[in-house]
Amino acid sequence: MTDTLTLPDRPASATPPKTMADTLSVTDNRTGKSYEFPIADGTIKATDLRQIKTSDEDFGLMTYDPAFMNTASCRSAITFIDGDKGILRYRGYPIEQLAEQASFLEVAYLLFEGELPSQAQLDKWTADIRYHTYVHTNVIKFLEGFRYDAHPMGMLLGAVGALSTFYPDAKHIDDPANRYVQKVRLMAKLPTLAAFAFRHNRGLPYEFPRNDLDYIGNYVNMMFSIGGKHEPNKVLQRALEILLILHADHEQNCSTSAVRSVGSSHVDPFSAVSAGIAALYGPLHGGANEAVLLMLDEIGEKKNIPAFIEKVKAGTGRLMGFGHRVYKNYDPRAKLIKRIADDVFGQTGMNPKLEIALELERIALEDEYFIKRKLYPNVDFYSGLIYQAMGYPTDYFTVLFAVGRLPGWLAQWEEMLKDKDQKIARPRQIYTGYDERPFVPMKNRK
Ligand code: CMC
């Protein structure tokens, strides 16, 4: 069979060009029939398998892949990960170089546009965001309606969803100029909402955006300014900016898949992003850094580590901040975060929990259980400690993750919309329930 699929332009590091031999031959032993399917980019099309039938009435063969362990749901040119080698690149640029040399807004532009901005492009991008930082006064009333101790992630996901009602024009997702405006709005307003959620928990009045400050400076000021005054610490601000860069995208993770999946119904981007925030809220995803600190509290002292490790190995709980669906090596972000920790603790003083974390990592990395399963520290293992040292409460960590991940969500959302292969997300199932049976009237039920 001739392979008629065409490949888009791809970076040099991607799959080599395919040849006529790039096919898969399959024999169905139920019927003895053979089939040949094209292989493109190391994949076959799952829908090609539908040709494999035992009879004309047969629906055709499907794949069973709970949690998408081995299914590519899209083609993407945004983020490259090699989990075995511990490599992460945005648009081809190594994460280490971006973390060292770029600003968060530069990285966001790169994720959206595919290229680093020129100075003029960055200036326009920055200015556009700067002038959209305010939220409608009614959003403030909406936030005030939350209980005094509302989890800031719950507030954030509610508030971002609510923004869709303030910008009904955001429904025009087919118009690139309109999409740009909504991306600017979200990038500009998410820190404002995130800062308001922070202050709500503390009973502090909301501090309004200051357009004379840069993106990170303004965000930090909205959180920590008291009586209109806040002494900026540039080392801590740069550390926060690097953490946001490290979180900016991570290809088809749970929250990004949620944004793509919800966005595939062609809902507005505010609603799609609020779905991403909801997914990130979960303890197996963005909530893990909060869980790491709770775990370190539970361990309490270094001497309790061996007993804790034994409990994990016996299946009672997990070593939070360890393991990853994709990385089977040290998460490159965790390596960079460990370095940032030195800068941060240099400013804030040592946190005794860091010593427990370092010892926990040392012991786990030497333990057969973790070695065999290729479990290494992930991005969340040290990030929570740093956030805590910077003055954020544990339930706020995931909010910082959301602010960082926003450009990735939006870049992936737009890529999904432009992708002609994409349709509304709608997985299949294997039905395991009853066959047809007659309704049982109440008097006859047990
Ligand atoms: N502690 C102890 N055992 C673990 C851990 C852990 N953190 N992670 C995985 N395992 C074991 C697991 O019990 C299983 O063992 P066995 O084969 O004997 O049943 C094996 O390793 C494979 O685990 P899995 O659950 O099949 O792996 P997964 O790819 O489905 O899960 C994960 C990935 C991140 C959900 C998982 O490693 C985990 O729960 N880690 C702790 C939570 C965490 O740190 N999450 C943050 C992820 S990074 C941030 C992000 O990108 O969102």
Side-chain angles (χ1 to χ4, degrees):
M1 178 189 270
T2 319
D3 184 348
T4 53
L5 294 176
T6 48
L7 284 173
D9 290 335
R10 300 201 34 107
S13 59
T15 322
K18 56 192 172 35
T19 66
M20 292 291 283
D22 282 340
T23 62
L24 175 75
S25 297
V26 177
T27 302
D28 183 350
N29 294 325
R30 298 171 303 176
T31 59
K33 280 194 205 159
S34 290
Y35 303 81
E36 196 171 358
F37 302 119
I39 299 177
D41 293 338
T43 63
I44 58 162
K45 278 188 162 184
T47 46
D48 281 349
L49 299 177
R50 292 273 295 280
Q51 299 165 39
I52 304 179
K53 295 180 177 205
T54 50
S55 67
D56 284 348
E57 296 76 50
D58 186 356
F59 182 75
L61 206 65
M62 294 191 298
T63 53
Y64 175 57
D65 190 10
F68 301 107
M69 297 285 286
N70 195 38
T71 295
S73 63
C74 62
R75 302 165 75 87
S76 182
I78 300 173
T79 289
F80 173 80
I81 300 176
D82 183 328
D84 291 329
K85 296 199 184 108
I87 293 174
L88 170 60
R89 297 183 201 131
Y90 298 159
R91 302 283 191 186
Y93 294 105
I95 191 66
E96 293 80 2
Q97 292 179 24
L98 292 169
E100 191 142 316
Q101 299 177 55
S103 70
F104 180 62
L105 286 189
E106 246 178 312
V107 169
Y109 185 98
L110 171 70
L111 290 169
F112 293 144
E113 304 297 334
E115 297 297 336
L116 288 165
S118 65
Q119 190 61 55
Q121 287 166 330
L122 182 61
D123 289 348
K124 178 178 183 313
W125 173 233
T126 307
D128 286 349
I129 290 175
R130 178 168 288 153
Y131 291 106
H132 283 84
T133 48
Y134 270 66
V135 291
H136 193 287
T137 318
N138 287 3
V139 174
I140 295 170
K141 289 189 190 144
F142 174 78
L143 290 175
E144 282 168 355
F146 280 94
R147 250 181 77 130
Y148 67 96
D149 59 351
H151 195 291
M153 274 301 268
M155 290 182 70
L156 197 68
L157 86 88
V160 170
L163 280 189
S164 74
T165 66
F166 289 84
Y167 304 109
D169 61 313
K171 287 184 174 58
H172 303 302
I173 56 165
D174 292 332
D175 173 7
N178 188 287
R179 287 201 299 266
Y180 179 79
V181 173
Q182 310 316 331
K183 282 189 294 187
V184 165
R185 281 180 174 150
L186 270 158
M187 285 292 299
K189 294 180 201 309
L190 196 69
T192 309
L193 295 174
F196 287 0
F198 180 82
R199 294 179 79 98
H200 180 89
N201 267 220
R202 308 186 147 198
L204 287 169
Y206 301 154
E207 180 74 24
F208 287 102
R210 267 187 47 193
N211 292 347
D212 58 318
L213 298 174
D214 64 19
Y215 192 79
I216 305 292
N218 173 50
Y219 180 30
V220 172
N221 187 67
M222 286 189 290
M223 286 187 280
F224 294 112
S225 177
I226 299 287
K229 283 208 177 67
H230 169 246
E231 204 57 58
N233 180 324
K234 287 290 171 193
V235 176
L236 295 188
Q237 284 192 14
R238 180 59 192 158
L240 177 62
E241 180 159 38
I242 294 173
L243 284 160
L244 298 186
I245 292 171
L246 298 183
H247 285 88
D249 194 47
H250 212 234
E251 50 123 300
Q252 306 314 313
N253 57 87
C254 178
S255 57
T256 301
S257 303
V259 171
R260 276 182 172 261
S261 188
V262 171
S264 77
S265 73
H266 288 186
V267 74
D268 67 87
F270 297 98
S271 304
V273 166
S274 71
I277 297 173
L280 192 66
Y281 198 173
L284 295 188
H285 191 7
N289 51 15
E290 185 177 341
V292 169
L293 283 210
L294 297 174
M295 174 187 76
L296 294 175
D297 279 341
E298 185 194 328
I299 295 172
E301 287 181 65
K302 274 208 267 187
K303 70 175 171 46
N304 299 332
I305 294 175
F308 179 79
I309 296 261
E310 286 314 310
K311 255 175 47 184
V312 168
K313 283 159 61 178
T316 318
R318 291 201 158 187
L319 180 48
M320 298 310 285
F322 257 67
H324 200 276
R325 173 63 57 79
V326 177
Y327 294 118
K328 301 301 167 196
N329 199 327
Y330 215 103
D331 182 337
R333 301 168 300 173
K335 263 190 207 157
L336 291 162
I337 287 178
K338 226 173 145 180
R339 266 187 248 156
I340 300 171
D342 291 337
D343 295 343
V344 170
F345 291 118
Q347 299 286 309
T348 63
M350 190 67 175
N351 180 340
K353 282 189 209 141
L354 179 65
E355 285 185 27
I356 301 177
L358 288 166
E359 183 66 359
L360 192 56
E361 179 192 340
R362 191 190 65 74
I363 294 179
L365 290 180
E366 286 174 0
D367 192 294
E368 193 50 33
Y369 174 95
F370 296 91
I371 295 171
K372 211 174 104 197
R373 290 167 179 78
K374 298 189 175 164
L375 299 170
Y376 292 86
N378 61 47
V379 68
D380 288 322
F381 193 66
Y382 288 105
S383 61
L385 283 167
I386 296 177
Y387 292 143
Q388 192 175 56
M390 287 173 165
Y392 299 104
T394 40
D395 65 0
Y396 197 73
F397 298 168
T398 322
V399 172
L400 295 164
F401 192 158
V403 172
R405 183 54 54 87
L406 178 67
W409 288 334
L410 287 170
Q412 301 266 356
W413 165 75
E414 191 161 39
E415 186 179 63
M416 179 269 305
L417 289 178
K418 288 183 188 163
D419 182 348
K420 298 263 180 296
D421 282 353
Q422 292 295 335
K423 289 174 181 294
I424 186 166
R426 199 338 184 153
R428 294 278 173 184
Q429 65 166 13
I430 302 170
Y431 177 67
T432 59
Y434 288 105
D435 208 346
E436 184 180 336
R437 52 184 181 156
F439 180 77
V440 183
M442 184 59 82
K443 64 179 169 45
N444 297 345
R445 291 181 215 163
K446 289 185 191 139

